Amino acid sequence: MQNNFSIYNSLSRRKEPFEPLHPPFAGLYVCGPTVYSDAHLGHARPAVTFDLLYRYLMHLGYNVRYVRNITDVGHLENDSDEGEDKIQKKARLEHLEPMEVVQKYMNTYHRNMDQLNVLPPSIEPRASGHIIEQQEFIKKIIESGLAYEVNGSVYFDVLKYSQDHNYGKLSGRVLEDLQTSSRALEGTDEKRNSFDFALWKKASPEHLMRWPSPWSEGFPGWHLECSAMSIKYLGERFDIHGGGMDLQFPHHECEIAQSTAALGEESVKYWMHNNMITIGGQKMARSLGNFITLDQLFSGIHPLLEQAYSPMTIRFFMLQAHYRSVADFSNEALKAAEKGLRRLMKAVGTLKMLKPSDSSTLDISGLKSKCYEAIDDDLNTPVLLSCLFDGVRYINSVNDGTERLSETDLTILSELFGTFVFGILGLKDEEENMEQGKLTEDLVNLVINMRQDAKARKEWAVSDKIREELAKIGITLKDTKDGVEWEKS
RNA sequence: GGUCGGUUUACCGAGUGGCUAGGUAGCGGUCUGCAAAACCGUUUACGGCGGUUCGAAUCCGCCACCGACCUCCA
């Protein structure tokens, strides 16, 4: 199971060689969505990033277990008057059961992920299905003396934990700074310190989602599910934990503290964080009016969108930026991505038609090496794509007859594109469905033949008019030496 | 206000102490009845001010701007 794969570990703040704890197995846990609203652009980034990681680990030959949770246990909303549960609040507005809301948005999320060609994880555990495990986890932390109970709620004692452990190591926080910079909480506070966090929360009378426990009828604290479920399915020590950069603090920091408190050792070997997205240089927020759901993006129905962008355009666009950089969305950038993707896919089609020569004038092995160097370097997909576009140029040049490739090199190149474009990057050809395509093809060919007749009679005005009219309905004709080609524009 | 990260050519977006990223757009050329595609060539770069260095866009400092987090929101 040799590999040259290195990933950036947020914990060490440097790139490290990927060496799984138990080869040939690799364990990956990623924080999934909270299902209380439609999936948006912000959901797509981590999904695509870690889908890429999942695919590459499998490509390297690892037996990967990929766990991505669904958060369906609501948590208190701080800007709500009633302190209502997010999911509960939505349920009241829509007169639905909380679990009905969960189901609805979970279905949407799954559909959108499928559209983005994001592979389903090996296990998709739901927080509501692991209440027992979370309670057992709390008991362990209480046994270790690092949690305390107040009025039916249980809190993690960060100060006591920090005597023997480094709370803040992942996010670079210093406890003293947290103490002074924390905002004062209104009302009575049960916590000993503002930076303590809830492991179990007693439910208020109007709170719908509640479970019995040794401490009170209530619900688990919001950091707990990931600790409990990752360890249940991946073991007390596992390889990679991923999520958005916004989760680094406090969520992941608290996870480290909880797991260390409960198990006596840290669970995660590599922490990976994807960066955020912006729209026109601004962060996406409902209050800024630039909040775009994936369905809106795919349909183009949103005031900011000049057109619809296909799921593969979105995926390709995200892959053109490195996952640790901010990705900025704009109509201009997405249109550029759309065209770039089409060029790539066209070349894939051309590649199948290439005829081998006796020898090669291009270095295909070198290209292959560069592709692996790029992906091995902390999933550097922008560089990988630049290498693949070099390949696109190679393909087109061979097609034009200005370069040659041997049968061996042609095979390597075909495998290379198949592996990287479809297998690892997870792109797919989005051309129209087959039956529609057949009819269109027959019709277009009919018109082309009529135009060829006009051309044979040198009736240029007629042939030009046909071409222009076809262009108006989205069919572009190209007169090549070998005949007429056409494509949808 | 605090912590951390960023500021690259028209747009998006990599990278590096001296050597072409790539995509999209523009311009010129090849091909072509014309156009398109493809190929070839090509233009405006590394936020500002200092410092280190033979040499910095790449290292250091300060300033400006942007973002994430600092919330019992996930």
Side-chain angles (χ1 to χ4, degrees):
Chain A
M1 206 62 60
Q2 282 295 110
N3 75 67
N4 297 309
F5 186 34
S6 65
I7 53 182
Y8 182 88
N9 190 346
S10 303
L11 203 53
S12 64
R13 292 160 191 273
R14 62 183 54 169
K15 290 176 193 170
E16 298 177 5
F18 176 67
E19 292 161 357
L21 296 158
H22 310 289
F25 300 98
L28 170 63
Y29 185 92
V30 174
C31 290
T34 302
V35 281
Y36 66 86
S37 67
D38 283 322
H40 52 77
L41 261 177
H43 289 111
R45 188 101 199 255
V48 168
T49 297
F50 293 106
D51 184 55
L52 171 75
L53 176 64
Y54 180 39
R55 287 167 179 270
Y56 189 52
L57 288 175
M58 288 194 290
H59 172 75
L60 288 174
Y62 291 106
N63 189 342
V64 188
R65 180 175 291 165
Y66 176 21
V67 181
R68 188 186 64 205
N69 68 301
I70 293 278
T71 297
D72 61 349
V73 172
H75 299 286
L76 290 171
E77 198 175 40
N78 86 314
D79 59 352
S80 160
D81 296 336
E82 317 287 285
E84 276 179 309
D85 189 289
K86 264 194 176 169
I87 288 166
Q88 177 192 339
K89 188 177 179 185
K90 197 80 177 181
R92 285 193 177 171
L93 291 172
E94 301 184 5
H95 303 288
L96 294 170
E97 275 296 317
M99 278 301 144
E100 209 174 342
V101 176
V102 165
Q103 191 68 52
K104 176 183 172 183
Y105 292 114
M106 194 168 67
N107 291 346
T108 303
Y109 178 77
H110 284 149
R111 177 170 49 78
N112 287 156
M113 291 307 112
D114 193 50
Q115 287 172 298
L116 287 167
N117 208 22
V118 168
L119 297 172
S122 324
I123 301 175
E124 192 169 49
R126 291 166 63 170
S128 63
H130 296 75
I131 300 297
I132 306 283
E133 286 85 346
Q134 294 181 73
Q135 291 182 356
E136 292 305 306
F137 211 92
I138 294 170
K139 286 177 192 169
K140 281 188 189 170
I141 299 173
I142 292 175
E143 281 167 24
S144 73
L146 291 169
Y148 55 92
E149 183 189 346
V150 182
N151 298 332
S153 293
V154 182
Y155 298 96
F156 190 89
D157 194 336
V158 172
L159 196 61
K160 191 169 181 189
Y161 171 82
S162 69
Q163 287 168 4
D164 298 317
H165 304 279
N166 182 1
Y167 181 84
K169 63 191 289 187
L170 177 67
S171 56
R173 295 296 196 286
V174 178
L175 205 56
E176 294 150 25
D177 295 344
L178 288 174
Q179 201 148 23
T180 53
S181 68
S182 266
R183 295 180 201 173
L185 292 165
E186 69 283 354
T188 55
D189 188 15
E190 298 170 338
K191 296 191 292 188
R192 290 178 187 167
N193 284 294
S194 58
F195 44 66
D196 287 352
F197 54 91
L199 297 173
W200 187 263
K201 192 74 182 157
K202 183 181 179 179
S204 54
E206 64 274 15
H207 203 99
L208 289 174
M209 294 186 113
R210 55 171 68 216
W211 291 267
S213 82
W215 313 285
S216 67
E217 202 170 79
F219 51 94
W222 65 276
H223 307 302
L224 199 58
E225 59 180 276
C226 291
S227 291
M229 298 192 297
S230 60
I231 285 162
K232 170 163 183 171
Y233 297 113
L234 298 175
E236 295 196 353
R237 287 270 291 152
F238 63 93
D239 298 307
I240 303 173
H241 188 130
M245 226 169 236
D246 53 332
L247 296 176
Q248 211 169 43
F249 188 89
H251 186 52
H252 292 159
E253 198 71 61
C254 294
E255 272 189 63
I256 291 176
Q258 286 167 352
S259 298
T260 307
L263 308 169
E265 62 170 355
E266 275 189 42
S267 294
V268 178
K269 186 168 182 187
Y270 304 95
W271 283 92
M272 292 179 75
H273 292 95
N274 64 274
N275 213 319
M276 315 309 284
I277 58 124
T278 56
I279 296 176
Q282 275 195 311
K283 67 171 176 177
M284 185 174 79
R286 289 180 202 279
S287 58
L288 292 173
N290 64 356
F291 193 89
I292 304 177
T293 69
L294 290 173
D295 280 337
Q296 287 172 330
L297 208 53
F298 300 158
S299 66
I301 302 171
H302 188 283
L304 288 177
L305 298 175
E306 291 169 11
Q307 60 168 81
Y309 300 100
S310 74
M312 279 310 105
T313 298
I314 302 303
R315 184 171 180 117
F316 179 82
F317 179 76
M318 287 189 173
L319 293 169
Q320 270 197 312
H322 188 252
Y323 77 92
R324 284 192 289 114
S325 298
V326 173
D328 186 47
F329 282 73
S330 63
N331 281 290
E332 202 176 0
L334 285 170
K335 284 178 194 170
E338 187 178 53
K339 290 189 179 174
L341 175 62
R342 187 179 300 165
R343 188 163 125 88
L344 179 65
M345 285 304 170
K346 247 181 83 177
V348 170
T350 305
L351 178 55
K352 292 174 191 155
M353 311 298 172
L354 295 185
K355 302 280 187 295
S357 302
D358 295 339
S359 60
S360 294
T361 53
L362 296 162
D363 181 11
I364 299 304
S365 303
L367 183 72
K368 182 177 176 178
S369 301
K370 283 182 180 173
C371 287
Y372 277 99
E373 276 172 34
I375 192 82
D376 277 334
D377 183 16
D378 191 31
L379 302 172
N380 198 329
T381 50
V383 170
L384 170 60
L385 280 167
S386 81
C387 294
L388 290 174
F389 274 104
D390 284 340
V392 167
R393 203 176 63 246
Y394 290 179
I395 290 166
N396 289 328
S397 294
V398 172
N399 192 44
D400 285 355
T402 55
E403 302 281 0
R404 287 176 281 114
L405 285 179
S406 68
E407 188 147 14
T408 309
D409 277 341
L410 211 48
T411 304
I412 296 172
L413 189 61
S414 295
E415 285 172 1
L416 186 70
F417 266 70
T419 299
F420 276 95
V421 175
F422 302 109
I424 295 172
L425 293 176
L427 298 168
K428 62 181 178 184
D429 211 337
E430 287 178 318
E431 288 309 298
E432 59 196 326
N433 64 61
M434 298 311 277
E435 52 212 307
Q436 267 294 64
K438 182 74 174 78
L439 177 64
T440 307
E441 191 172 338
D442 290 343
L443 286 171
V444 173
N445 284 337
L446 177 70
V447 177
I448 286 174
N449 287 337
M450 292 173 72
R451 177 165 169 272
Q452 290 303 92
D453 292 343
K455 283 178 71 176
R457 294 190 298 271
K458 297 200 186 298
E459 293 172 5
W460 306 127
V462 175
S463 69
D464 285 359
K465 183 173 166 60
I466 289 172
R467 188 174 61 201
E468 282 164 24
E469 293 298 321
L470 280 174
K472 281 181 188 168
I473 58 172
I475 304 288
T476 307
L477 294 192
K478 290 175 288 185
D479 294 336
T480 71
K481 264 178 279 188
D482 304 324
V484 183
E485 289 178 14
W486 66 274
E487 66 178 9
K488 289 195 70 178
S489 54

